[in-house]
């Protein structure tokens, strides 16, 4: 509304407001709010700056819960949802530590032969073993996880009992 009247100075504000059924007090309140924002908007701007600083100091890792915790430790009384809203409006998001993408096979590499021929049942113990090798990225470098199982008994090879707690991702 204020942009319309600003762009067309020959139009009288009162006439336009009367035609649009908008109270003149509402128009002038909009104009005043644009020039001098209310206390909440000023406080939001300050909090957004503090949020950006905390987020930058963390290397972009902190999300809204951690930023909120840092603000609380610094003595700033603000709600968690308000921090979430301000971060969303400022387009601040945490950097996910998860690895993106997946392993792609080299198209030039020769494939290993499928000796099991996609049949993962075994007629007797120790005739067929299933294995998997996975790389896990850590801060100290890659770790390799290997698993070998007997296809007949589904036990960990070589016939040892499985670990006390088998991870669900195996």
């Amino acid at each position: 509304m204020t942009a319309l009247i600003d762009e067309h100075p020959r139009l009288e504000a009162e006439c336009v407001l009367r035609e649009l059924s908008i109270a003149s007090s509402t128009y002038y309140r909009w104009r005043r709010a644009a020039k001098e924002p209310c206390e909440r908007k000023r406080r939001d701007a300050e909090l957004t700056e503090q949020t950006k600083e905390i987020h930058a100091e963390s290397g972009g890792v902190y999300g809204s819960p951690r930023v909120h915790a840092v603000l609380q430790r610094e003595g700033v009384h603000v709600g968690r949802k308000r921090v979430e809203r301000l971060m969303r409006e400022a387009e601040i998001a945490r950097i996910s530590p998860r690895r993106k993408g997946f392993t792609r096979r080299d198209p030039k590499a020769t494939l290993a032969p499928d000796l099991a021929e996609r049949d993962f049942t075994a007629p007797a113990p120790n005739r067929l073993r299933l294995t998997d090798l996975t790389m896990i990225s850590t801060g100290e470098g890659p770790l390799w996880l290997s698993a070998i199982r007997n296809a007949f008994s589904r036990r960990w090879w070589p016939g040892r009992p499985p670990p006390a707690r088998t991870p669900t991702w195996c």
Side-chain angles (χ1 to χ4, degrees):
M1 166 51 48
T2 57
L4 173 70
I5 295 174
D6 290 342
E7 288 176 15
H8 303 284
R10 69 183 190 288
L11 297 176
E12 292 183 23
E14 298 298 328
C15 295
V16 173
L17 295 172
R18 196 174 322 114
E19 285 298 316
L20 296 175
S21 301
I22 298 174
S24 60
S25 60
T26 303
Y27 168 73
Y28 290 112
R29 189 172 56 239
W30 287 342
R31 296 293 297 237
R32 189 174 55 248
K35 290 179 184 171
E36 48 188 70
C38 65
E39 178 61 31
R40 181 170 177 84
K41 294 229 185 240
R42 285 194 299 268
R43 184 73 179 124
D44 279 354
E46 292 172 10
L47 286 171
T48 301
E49 289 305 314
Q50 286 179 310
T51 302
K52 286 180 181 179
E53 289 174 13
I54 293 168
H55 184 72
E57 288 172 3
S58 74
V61 176
Y62 283 7
S64 60
R66 286 186 178 172
V67 170
H68 177 254
V70 171
L71 288 170
Q72 292 293 318
R73 277 195 301 266
E74 292 177 356
V76 178
H77 298 290
V78 63
R80 183 179 51 86
K81 295 285 188 176
R82 188 174 185 185
V83 173
E84 287 177 18
R85 177 181 56 83
L86 294 174
M87 287 182 70
R88 188 173 45 250
E89 289 173 357
E91 296 179 352
I92 302 171
R94 75 180 189 96
I95 297 172
S96 177
R98 295 187 184 120
R99 185 172 55 112
K100 293 186 174 146
F102 50 88
T103 305
R104 288 189 170 80
R105 180 174 49 90
D106 182 7
K108 299 174 194 159
T110 57
L111 297 176
D114 184 6
L115 301 176
E117 297 176 349
R118 311 304 294 168
D119 180 20
F120 301 113
T121 58
N126 297 323
R127 296 282 176 99
L128 178 63
R129 294 185 187 101
L130 308 172
T131 183
D132 183 36
L133 183 65
T134 303
M135 185 187 81
I136 302 170
S137 298
T138 66
E140 297 177 0
L143 293 178
W144 292 91
L145 174 66
S146 174
I148 304 172
R149 288 191 139 182
N150 187 333
F152 180 76
S153 64
R154 302 287 184 200
R155 298 180 86 186
W156 296 94
W157 185 76
R160 292 189 204 120
R165 182 172 176 262
T166 306
T168 56
W169 44 265
C170 282

